[in-house]
Amino acid sequence: MPDRYEPAQFEEKWRRRWADADLFRTREDRDRPKWYSLEFFPYPSGHGLSVGHCRNYVPCDVLARTRFMQGYNVLHPMGFDAFGLPAENAAIQTKRNPAELVHEYGETYRRQLTLIGIGYDWSRSFYSSDPSYYRWTQWIFKLLYQRGLAYRRLAAVNWDPVDKTVLADEEIIGGRAERSGALVEKRYIPQWFFKITEYAQRLLDDLDELDWPEGIKQMQRNWIGRSEGVEFEMVVDVPVADSAEAGDFEVKNLRDKRPSFRVFTTRIDTIFGMTFCVLAPEHPMVGTLLPAVAPEHADAVRAYREAARELSDIDRQATTREKTGVFLGAYAINPATGKRVPIYVADYVLMGYGTGAIMAVPAHDDRDFEFAAKYGIDVVPVIKPVGAADVPELPFATKDGVMINSGEYDGMTVQEGQKSLAVWMEGLGIGQRKVNFKLRDWLISRQRYWGCPIPITYDAEGDMHAVPDDALPVYLPDIENYEPAGDGSSPLSTIPDFVNCTGADGRLHRRETDTMGGFACSSWYFMRFCDPHNEREAYSKEAVDYWMAVDCYVGGAEHAVMHLLYARFWTKVLFDAGLSPVQEPFKRLVNQGMVLAETPYRKPREGERLHVGEEGILVTFEEAASLPKDQLIWKWDKMSKSKGNVVTPEEAVDKFGADALRLYLLFVAPFEQDVQWSETGIQGPIRFLHRLFKLVDDAKAWFEPNWRGHLVSLSDLSEGSRVLRRSTHLTIADTTDSIMRFACNTYVSSLMKHLNTFGDFLKETGTPDTLEQVVVSSEALEVLLTLLSPAAPHTSDELWEQLGQDGFVYLRDWPIFDPDLAKADRVTIAVQVNGKLRDTFDVEAGADAKTVEELALAREKVMSFTDGKGIRKVIVVPGKLVNVVTS
Ligand code: ANZ
């Protein structure tokens, strides 16, 4: 065997041996603690994986392997989130069956992940599109339905009038259908929702206990969007009849009814500054008042309402959009001042939030201010910041202020005013304190073929029925044509054999033809991995009681909201139904950084136009090679197929070896950071591996496997041996700690440091020949190879075998750290006089504070600074620092 790292000679062999030994099959020995490591459910794409993806899988593998070596039962499974649009589109394009396609793609992933040595238990793998899995997705859908958490109502879809199909948001670019180029319209059809709003408060509260990145928790909090405020009534002052378009009688009737609408505000303290109010265009009161208002207003409002229909809520709320609106020609009464304020209809107020109507306070709300400025409405400040002499420039929204221009409330703080006004309104019965959430119910319907069928049927009267358990799964039929139906419904609606069925009551029913969006499938897969082949239940209670929750969940921050929130919601529902032992599925969450690759762009030619934000035109690497240097711009882009800058695991393993790739991905940067892929960067790990091979080649001559039997007591060791043992034990502590913190870069650098210390020792002693040298060197080497195993498992096993040892290092125990051995003999103490560093000196580690103080004060240098000045105080930080303060 060569004394260099030559991966082609041994890596493949070890992967085969691991597979033959079924090394990574999950062990369920109930006497051991459990560890559940999981990566986000990947979607199998035809492009396969890049080394960019591996950046997530390798560190996860390191943690799982380490936990196993520490004696845990480890569950580390992998499966595929296989339903969804990309597979459906690939099926349409290639005229292939999507089920076959995703299995083929998944197999590629499996091959690639195996190639880089990831230790998954593949016996637990599944595809969310397998009937044996989606049967239980349907079963859980029913559970939600039976608990009143799944319902159907009219909701807007994106309609492509050319292709005659419903579009997903990602199929729309700049308001046009990506495929047909048609302007997308809105259409209202009945669709299925999950009532996640019922869980809003719990989803918010339980975030606190999670060991997740703070940023992600904050994004979830914002998405849930809890706000406390007051909801109160505004009475409309109906316009006098002679200016209206309808007959006197109808309008008089309306006046007699004294119509009113409710508004929601988080700033009731600013009510005296309300100079207008706004109704969302869809607000029913708009329609109610139209007959009473002057025709010119009524016409303008109708036109405005029509136009607003075309816009999405996101567009309407964009801060960059100029505010628009129209005067309704009617007024409402500000209950605090008793004065009339004009009612406007404007699309920056959304129907889906609060009450769909607001009191507008332009002095203290940006949006209202912009609107008032445009339409010439009064702006009345009613808050003054605490301590300010004058009211600063408007608008401002401080909560740290006192009320002004507010009658009897003047001088109250914002908080006092909020309370008093709420109490006053509650007393009169015109308003109440109220909590609102931004969170909306989860739209789950897709008018597509490639998804999990919704297990609902409709009888002749149109009443809904859940499909009985024993009739599950509702199979997704094989079909010839995956194109949508042309009337907006799923292609399933064109298959009579699917649509027509016998209901539980024996009568003819019609099946629901919408399928579920993929987020349903990925909201419980982590439960299924606990018991993946169960044919009687989604999973056994015993299995999830043992394995859940996931101890460490790893994936990209782009799923910060949707997937994580939905999975949390389903887990809570399952918990409420007695089907989950935990309320939160993922105890700890870690987000990996992206891998960036250098990507060539060509400078634009005469007359060529670039998209906004672009500096050049993306070109292939071949094209780049043929272009003059000054025509090229190189940029670091995310490694992805669409950028043509992908390095595949096959290429990297072929060129550098799997362990070199693994070490590089671990070592290159902290896990959460983005990294720039570089072939020079990988040389460091390769040199490290070469040195290990060389070391082991030499060590064959002196390695003593039974070094434990000859351990010498620490105090008897020579200085050099002591240094090496200390390094060995410090390395155990550091690597273990780093791996647990997911700090894989420092894990690898600790190994490298230990190898250096070891090298220095061997240089000093030459070939170990005394018993003492053989023992400490053998320990150092064995520990090094064991600690290396999670990161570079092929190399670790290979070198272990070269030392004449049997078995897989993975099956060996994780080394045990001895804190006594790791203790330093001597430490360096810094001495400051009045905060300035003046001297350093060494003392025995563990020396007490008194001794350290005496030594410090007796130092010549220190004395030269304290001479003649009395000493006021001495602060000792043991093992580190003495600070002397003179008077
Ligand atoms: C008066 C006011 C004065 C407001 C002020 C804010 C600042 P959050 O915190 O997001 O819940 N609002 C209420 N319903 C709305 C709707 N359907 N569409 C658009 N805006 C709506 O925001 C609550 C505030 O957003 C409410 O408090 C209301 O404006 C507005 F200095 O009322 B506020």
Side-chain angles (χ1 to χ4, degrees):
M1 265 291 165
D3 58 358
R4 292 168 57 79
Y5 169 66
E6 291 194 1
Q9 304 219 7
F10 69 93
E11 287 188 341
E12 174 66 37
K13 168 184 80 186
W14 286 103
R15 288 194 291 270
R16 225 176 314 112
R17 288 193 190 169
W18 299 335
D20 291 346
D22 205 3
L23 197 60
F24 305 111
R25 182 177 288 270
T26 313
R27 182 176 64 186
E28 299 217 33
D29 165 0
R30 295 292 139 109
D31 293 334
R32 291 170 185 268
K34 68 94 186 180
W35 181 264
Y36 188 176
S37 269
L38 188 65
E39 293 103 309
F40 287 8
F41 207 26
Y43 156 72
S45 114
H47 301 318
L49 296 171
S50 73
V51 291
H53 297 107
C54 303
R55 176 158 162 74
N56 158 5
Y57 298 120
V58 174
C60 233
D61 189 46
V62 166
L63 179 58
R65 283 171 175 268
T66 306
R67 279 307 198 196
F68 182 87
M69 293 173 77
Q70 287 177 328
Y72 287 76
N73 289 327
V74 169
L75 177 55
H76 189 205
M78 175 50 69
F80 300 101
D81 190 9
F83 274 138
L85 207 52
E88 180 161 334
N89 285 339
I92 292 172
Q93 267 166 25
T94 58
K95 301 210 181 315
R96 303 249 330 255
N97 179 314
E100 270 171 34
L101 274 187
V102 291
H103 278 86
E104 202 175 290
Y105 297 164
E107 271 311 303
T108 304
Y109 278 36
R110 176 174 172 165
R111 211 175 1 88
Q112 292 179 311
L113 290 164
T114 306
L115 179 70
I116 59 167
I118 311 285
Y120 291 122
D121 177 357
W122 287 104
S123 77
R124 290 191 179 234
S125 190
F126 54 80
Y127 292 70
S128 62
S129 56
D130 295 341
S132 57
Y133 180 82
Y134 71 66
R135 171 181 183 178
W136 302 109
T137 308
Q138 293 173 348
W139 186 85
I140 300 174
F141 178 98
K142 280 182 58 187
L143 180 80
L144 278 112
Y145 178 69
Q146 280 145 7
R147 298 176 78 85
L149 296 169
Y151 66 94
R152 203 168 172 246
R153 70 163 161 87
L154 278 185
V157 290
N158 307 308
W159 177 251
D160 176 341
V162 171
D163 272 358
K164 302 218 179 314
T165 177
V166 173
L167 300 174
D169 289 342
E170 60 268 30
E171 293 175 296
I172 303 171
I173 292 171
R176 287 182 179 272
E178 189 183 16
R179 212 157 60 148
S180 72
L183 264 182
V184 176
E185 297 169 4
K186 260 192 183 181
R187 265 206 185 179
Y188 288 81
I189 60 169
Q191 304 199 69
W192 283 93
F193 287 83
F194 291 137
K195 210 186 259 176
I196 190 171
T197 49
E198 202 163 302
Y199 281 68
Q201 189 65 50
R202 283 167 70 186
L203 287 166
L204 183 66
D205 291 343
D206 293 351
L207 280 172
D208 294 342
E209 71 191 54
L210 297 177
D211 180 10
W212 286 20
E214 205 36 56
I216 302 270
K217 292 209 263 187
Q218 200 47 46
M219 282 166 80
Q220 293 222 349
R221 287 191 191 107
N222 295 344
W223 188 262
I224 296 168
R226 182 184 199 275
S227 61
E228 281 176 30
V230 172
E231 197 181 292
F232 68 90
E233 198 170 290
M234 304 243 328
V235 176
V236 179
D237 187 19
V238 178
V240 280
D242 62 23
S243 64
E245 58 185 31
D248 279 357
F249 176 72
E250 205 177 310
V251 175
K252 180 175 178 308
N253 235 347
L254 192 60
R255 282 177 71 87
D256 288 349
K257 266 200 234 142
R258 287 180 63 76
S260 68
F261 57 90
R262 297 178 75 81
V263 298
F264 172 71
T265 177
T266 47
R267 293 300 301 272
I268 193 69
D269 55 294
T270 63
I271 190 167
F272 288 86
M274 173 197 341
T275 52
F276 63 105
C277 59
V278 184
L279 297 174
E282 305 83 351
H283 198 292
M285 183 54 66
V286 176
T288 307
L289 291 177
L290 278 180
V293 306
E296 75 266 24
H297 293 308
D299 290 345
V301 168
R302 282 198 192 95
Y304 188 76
R305 201 167 52 170
E306 256 333 286
R309 272 174 67 90
E310 298 301 319
L311 291 168
S312 75
D313 282 3
I314 295 172
D315 292 336
R316 281 168 58 165
Q317 283 208 299
T319 45
T320 47
R321 231 184 112 235
E322 189 183 321
K323 303 278 167 296
T324 61
V326 283
F327 176 45
L328 180 55
Y331 295 81
I333 311 294
N334 179 339
T337 60
K339 287 193 191 135
R340 292 188 338 157
V341 292
I343 306 174
Y344 280 80
V345 177
D347 64 12
Y348 75 93
V349 172
L350 304 178
M351 194 55 222
Y353 186 62
T355 60
I358 64 158
M359 71 173 211
V361 185
H364 302 294
D365 181 282
D366 292 340
R367 296 162 299 178
D368 300 344
F369 185 83
E370 207 187 313
F371 194 86
K374 182 164 168 188
Y375 295 102
I377 306 168
D378 286 349
V379 180
V380 180
V382 290
I383 304 288
K384 199 175 73 163
V386 168
D390 267 322
V391 175
E393 196 184 328
L394 299 173
F396 64 88
T398 182
K399 289 196 168 171
D400 196 14
V402 290
M403 293 169 67
I404 55 169
N405 299 330
S406 300
E408 60 187 287
Y409 296 88
D410 277 1
M412 280 191 189
T413 65
V414 162
Q415 289 73 21
E416 287 163 353
Q418 285 182 351
K419 205 149 163 224
S420 306
L421 279 156
V423 168
W424 172 69
M425 284 188 164
E426 282 169 352
L428 279 181
I430 58 167
Q432 288 80 36
R433 273 170 272 212
K434 179 99 200 274
V435 172
N436 260 323
F437 291 96
K438 293 234 161 54
L439 185 65
R440 297 283 79 113
D441 278 339
W442 163 13
L443 172 66
I444 192 65
S445 277
R446 298 289 179 275
Q447 293 70 38
R448 293 285 184 162
Y449 166 71
W450 190 236
C452 174
I454 292 177
I456 294 287
T457 62
Y458 303 89
D459 61 25
E461 285 76 44
D463 287 336
M464 283 188 257
H465 301 268
V467 174
D469 284 357
D470 59 14
L472 295 182
V474 175
Y475 283 101
L476 192 59
D478 272 341
I479 58 176
E480 293 292 313
N481 179 10
Y482 305 105
E483 303 269 0
D487 63 353
S489 58
S490 141
L492 291 175
S493 67
T494 62
I495 306 167
D497 280 354
F498 178 80
V499 175
N500 302 320
C501 62
T502 311
D505 53 8
R507 296 189 300 156
L508 186 68
H509 282 205
R510 190 172 49 79
R511 260 189 219 291
E512 172 63 64
T513 57
D514 280 1
T515 51
M516 287 183 237
F519 282 126
C521 309
S522 57
S523 287
W524 76 282
Y525 76 108
F526 41 90
M527 302 270 185
R528 183 70 177 174
F529 275 138
C530 302
D531 190 13
H533 306 301
N534 198 327
E535 289 177 4
R536 284 163 291 107
E537 329 165 78
Y539 45 80
S540 77
K541 181 163 166 18
E542 203 242 329
V544 292
D545 282 355
Y546 180 69
W547 285 115
M548 285 300 290
V550 175
D551 294 285
C552 186
Y553 196 34
V554 181
E558 66 276 14
H559 293 288
V561 176
M562 302 294 191
H563 161 59
L564 291 170
L565 198 66
Y566 294 153
R568 294 180 61 219
F569 165 55
W570 273 38
T571 303
K572 288 182 194 304
V573 175
L574 292 169
F575 174 86
D576 291 349
L579 297 168
S580 165
V582 291
Q583 298 223 38
E584 284 294 333
F586 316 121
K587 256 191 236 168
R588 179 172 171 206
L589 175 74
V590 198
N591 299 129
Q592 78 271 12
M594 283 188 296
V595 173
L596 312 176
E598 244 184 332
T599 314
Y601 287 77
R602 163 174 71 67
K603 287 194 180 148
R605 305 209 168 104
E606 280 266 317
E608 245 176 351
R609 281 191 39 204
L610 295 175
H611 292 288
V612 188
E614 276 180 356
E615 288 165 48
I617 290 142
L618 183 69
V619 291
T620 62
F621 280 75
E622 290 86 73
E623 219 178 318
S626 69
L627 282 169
K629 263 211 174 74
D630 64 348
Q631 290 295 303
L632 279 173
I633 309 166
W634 289 91
K635 281 193 0 187
W636 289 100
D637 281 339
K638 180 178 173 174
M639 196 180 270
S640 79
K641 198 74 194 174
S642 64
K643 295 282 183 184
N645 57 8
V646 159
V647 178
T648 64
E650 287 89 339
E651 286 161 351
V653 168
D654 202 41
K655 199 157 173 191
F656 308 109
D659 279 349
L661 173 65
R662 290 174 65 106
L663 280 173
Y664 168 73
L665 290 171
L666 294 167
F667 181 59
V668 61
F671 184 68
E672 295 81 1
Q673 262 175 33
D674 289 352
V675 299
Q676 301 178 337
W677 169 260
S678 101
E679 296 208 349
T680 38
I682 205 166
Q683 297 308 320
I686 290 176
R687 276 194 301 274
F688 169 68
L689 290 166
H690 284 327
R691 288 176 61 204
L692 277 170
F693 270 82
K694 174 83 177 67
L695 172 68
V696 167
D697 198 44
D698 296 342
K700 285 176 199 158
W702 51 257
F703 181 71
E704 169 52 61
N706 184 27
W707 52 268
R708 278 186 191 78
H710 303 281
L711 269 183
V712 216
S713 114
L714 194 59
S715 50
D716 296 340
L717 287 181
S718 65
E719 174 65 15
S721 300
R722 225 179 5 231
V723 170
L724 183 58
R725 280 212 90 184
R726 190 185 308 131
S727 169
T728 302
H729 281 266
L730 271 179
T731 308
I732 299 173
D734 289 351
T735 52
T736 312
D737 174 65
S738 294
I739 292 170
M740 294 310 136
R741 287 189 295 111
F742 236 80
C744 295
N745 54 327
T746 58
Y747 157 48
V748 176
S749 65
S750 297
L751 295 175
M752 291 175 166
K753 218 163 86 191
H754 182 50
L755 182 60
N756 286 342
T757 309
F758 201 177
D760 291 346
F761 173 82
L762 292 173
K763 220 182 274 158
E764 193 85 356
T765 55
T767 304
D769 46 10
T770 68
L771 180 63
E772 174 188 302
Q773 287 169 357
V774 166
V775 167
V776 294
S777 302
S778 299
E779 180 189 28
L781 182 58
E782 182 180 317
V783 167
L784 180 57
L785 293 185
T786 315
L787 296 176
L788 176 75
S789 169
H794 310 81
T795 300
S796 168
D797 276 355
E798 174 67 16
L799 294 179
W800 192 235
E801 186 174 77
Q802 287 193 24
L803 286 172
Q805 306 304 309
D806 286 338
F808 303 111
V809 177
Y810 181 66
L811 297 178
R812 299 180 61 77
D813 289 341
W814 193 248
I816 293 178
F817 165 60
D818 182 341
D820 283 338
L821 290 172
K823 257 192 216 138
D825 286 354
R826 298 184 75 74
V827 288
T828 303
I829 305 283
V831 191
Q832 296 179 334
V833 180
N834 298 327
K836 281 218 175 80
L837 180 68
R838 296 301 186 190
D839 197 10
T840 59
F841 67 98
D842 283 0
V843 292
E844 204 159 301
D848 61 67
K850 185 102 190 50
T851 316
V852 175
E853 177 177 336
E854 279 167 15
L855 286 169
L857 292 177
R859 309 267 313 164
E860 215 169 288
K861 259 204 194 145
V862 176
M863 276 158 61
S864 73
F865 288 100
T866 57
D867 227 15
K869 303 171 193 152
I871 288 170
R872 197 145 55 95
K873 201 155 118 198
V874 181
I875 302 152
V876 181
V877 184
K880 288 214 174 89
L881 178 89
V882 177
N883 190 8
V884 184
V885 185
T886 62
S887 33

